[in-house]
Amino acid sequence: ALLIGGSIAVLLAIVLIALPVVAARVAEGWLRDHGADAATIGDIDFNPFSGALRVEALEAGDGPEARFSVALAELDVRWWPLVSRRVHVERLRLEGARIDVAVGDDGVRIGAVRLPAGTPAPDDGPAPAAPDAEPAPWGFGSDFVNLGDVALTYRHGVLDTTVEIRAVRVGSHY
């Protein structure tokens, strides 16, 4: 029994140590697969038990008008509210972010990352009947949001605007 318990503890430790490294490599690959010439993530820490995620030094861009960089992003989410279709963010912290968003006919570009526009479904005859009762919409709430030194540039058609946030702290809202 002691050998089994020790083996499980060692296996769990290996998984928890390897998880951030694997997650960073998978995320960097996804960013490159979706258009980023260069994509790096300095560090990812994820605690699946508490729902805490920390990302440091994310860079995915290919020029001065396609920036997607985040010095620090921290997110703590409560798991149990997801069962009742609620997203509850205990804490969100975003610092040193430069994000360029461009919307076009071919989809959305966030920095160098391209998210294609949805493709229309083929016409297969009449649409299926709508269900009698739609599920309740998802709810959203947070305890604390902290944004510092964030610049967001948004381009869509003739609209080209930049929002710079030096510091914002927002308490509970639901």
Side-chain angles (χ1 to χ4, degrees), residues 9-102:
V10 168
L11 182 61
L12 183 62
I14 290 170
V15 168
L16 291 177
I17 290 169
L19 183 63
V21 174
V22 171
R25 299 306 162 247
V26 168
E28 289 171 355
W30 185 90
L31 290 168
R32 281 190 212 99
D33 290 345
H34 286 85
D37 290 341
T40 59
I41 298 175
D43 187 30
I44 291 182
D45 293 321
F46 177 61
N47 184 333
F49 304 109
S50 68
L53 173 68
R54 178 183 174 103
V55 178
E56 293 179 14
L58 182 146
E59 295 280 340
D62 62 359
E65 293 190 10
R67 298 172 302 167
F68 181 32
S69 66
V70 177
L72 175 66
E74 295 179 330
L75 177 67
D76 291 337
V77 177
R78 290 187 194 162
W79 293 117
W80 281 111
L82 293 173
V83 174
S84 60
R85 300 179 59 90
R86 290 186 46 234
V87 176
H88 184 94
V89 175
E90 287 184 358
R91 185 172 61 98
L92 170 65
R93 179 178 169 198
L94 185 63
E95 290 184 3
R98 302 291 177 263
I99 303 170
D100 295 332
V101 177

